[in-house]
């Protein structure tokens, strides 16, 4: 399992960066060993879509949860579309946040807790931390409990956009209302990401179908005397 922590410096002793999309660094941490990889956030200076791009980066790194101070609507939706739990309200050092996470003192947020473009100076919209993980929306296929063999890397281990460890048993998601207050550029970027995720998901399903068909043909061909 991997946990991402937003940080002001590339160290577990650094402060938790209160911004998600425009944080200075992402620390990709193994909670069991506390070993981590520090990533300088390439999206700090983006004019728009920083949260979406940062969510995509964490999905590619296989993160299953993110610990941060605040998360806006665009990033929140993109993270949950990728099956990544969002934990907001974190403060102190990254190490302290990690220890609190390991002790079970955090619960996943069920909504964004700041307005769009918070990292560029937008105002705080109130706390949004609550117990439980909200129903997934966007292109995700749930967290997956299947026993089937994974198809490639996907976006990781049966979460969100990947097929990973078997097919998820969650229902196929239906379109959800988009967060209020999005600019046209932000909404366009978010929809493009969702479309790309669905495309990748379809390709993975088709690849698995081909593998199963080939396995069936192989068993059939070797049964003769």
């Amino acid at each position: 399992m991997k946990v991402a922590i937003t940080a002001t410096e590339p160290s577990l002793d650094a402060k938790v960066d209160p911004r998600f999309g425009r944080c200075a660094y992402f620390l990709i941490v193994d909670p069991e060993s506390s070993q981590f990889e520090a990533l300088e956030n390439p999206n700090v200076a983006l004019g728009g879509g920083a949260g979406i791009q940062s969510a995509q980066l964490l999905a590619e790194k296989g993160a299953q949860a993110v610990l941060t101070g605040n998360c806006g609507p665009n990033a929140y939706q993109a993270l949950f579309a990728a099956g990544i739990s969002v934990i907001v309200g974190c403060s102190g050092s990254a190490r302290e946040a990690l220890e609190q996470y390991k002790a079970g003192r955090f619960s996943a947020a069920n909504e964004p807790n700041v307005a769009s473009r918070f990292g560029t100076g937008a105002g705080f919209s109130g706390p949004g931390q609550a117990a439980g993980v909200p129903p997934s929306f966007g292109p995700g296929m749930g967290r997956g409990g299947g026993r089937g063999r994974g198809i490639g890397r996907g976006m990781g281990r049966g979460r969100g956009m990947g097929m990973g460890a078997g097919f998820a048993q969650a229902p196929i998601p239906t379109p959800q209302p988009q967060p209020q207050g999005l600019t046209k550029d932000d909404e366009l970027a978010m929809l493009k990401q969702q479309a790309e995720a669905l495309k990748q998901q379809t390709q993975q399903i088709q690849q698995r179908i081909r593998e199963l068909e080939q396995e069936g043909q192989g068993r059939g061909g070797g049964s003769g005397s």
Side-chain angles (χ1 to χ4, degrees):
M1 179 178 181
K2 294 181 180 179
V3 175
I5 307 175
T6 59
T8 56
E9 297 177 358
S11 168
L12 284 176
D13 295 319
K15 295 293 185 182
V16 173
D17 196 319
R19 305 164 298 176
F20 170 71
R22 292 181 173 82
C23 68
Y25 291 90
F26 289 110
L27 306 182
I28 311 299
V29 188
D30 179 343
E32 294 185 2
S33 65
S34 294
Q35 293 183 345
F36 68 95
E37 175 187 5
L39 300 176
E40 188 172 1
N41 186 2
N43 306 308
V44 172
L46 285 184
I52 295 172
Q53 293 300 319
S54 294
Q56 179 68 27
L57 175 63
L58 297 191
E60 291 172 355
K61 287 293 182 178
Q64 294 171 290
V66 59
L67 311 182
T68 188
N70 302 289
C71 185
N74 300 344
Y76 176 86
Q77 182 166 5
L79 287 164
F80 271 108
I84 300 174
S85 298
V86 181
I87 297 170
V88 297
C90 300
S91 60
S93 71
R95 190 183 304 276
E96 290 170 342
L98 178 63
E99 291 303 317
Q100 291 178 27
Y101 173 80
K102 291 165 62 176
R105 296 174 184 171
F106 290 139
S107 56
N110 64 358
E111 60 183 5
N113 71 324
V114 291
S116 180
R117 296 182 179 274
F118 170 80
T120 60
F124 183 79
S125 64
Q129 191 167 350
V133 177
S136 61
F137 47 79
M141 289 191 69
R143 292 187 170 271
R147 296 181 180 178
R149 187 172 52 152
I151 305 174
R153 181 170 181 270
M155 298 306 290
R157 301 175 187 168
R159 316 185 319 276
M161 292 181 280
M163 298 303 298
F167 288 88
Q169 297 179 2
I172 296 174
T174 56
Q176 299 290 324
Q178 302 298 340
Q180 298 297 316
L182 291 181
T183 66
K184 289 184 178 180
D185 289 342
D186 286 342
E187 184 175 1
L188 179 61
M190 180 169 57
L191 291 174
K192 284 182 176 180
Q193 184 194 34
Q194 293 177 354
E196 179 62 25
L198 287 171
K199 178 182 176 181
Q200 294 176 5
Q201 184 175 303
T202 300
Q203 290 173 344
Q204 292 165 357
I205 292 172
Q206 291 173 341
Q207 175 63 26
R208 183 55 178 161
I209 290 172
R210 288 193 292 269
E211 289 181 0
L212 291 172
E213 289 176 343
Q214 291 172 359
E215 289 177 5
Q217 292 171 359
R219 286 194 297 268
S223 61
S225 58

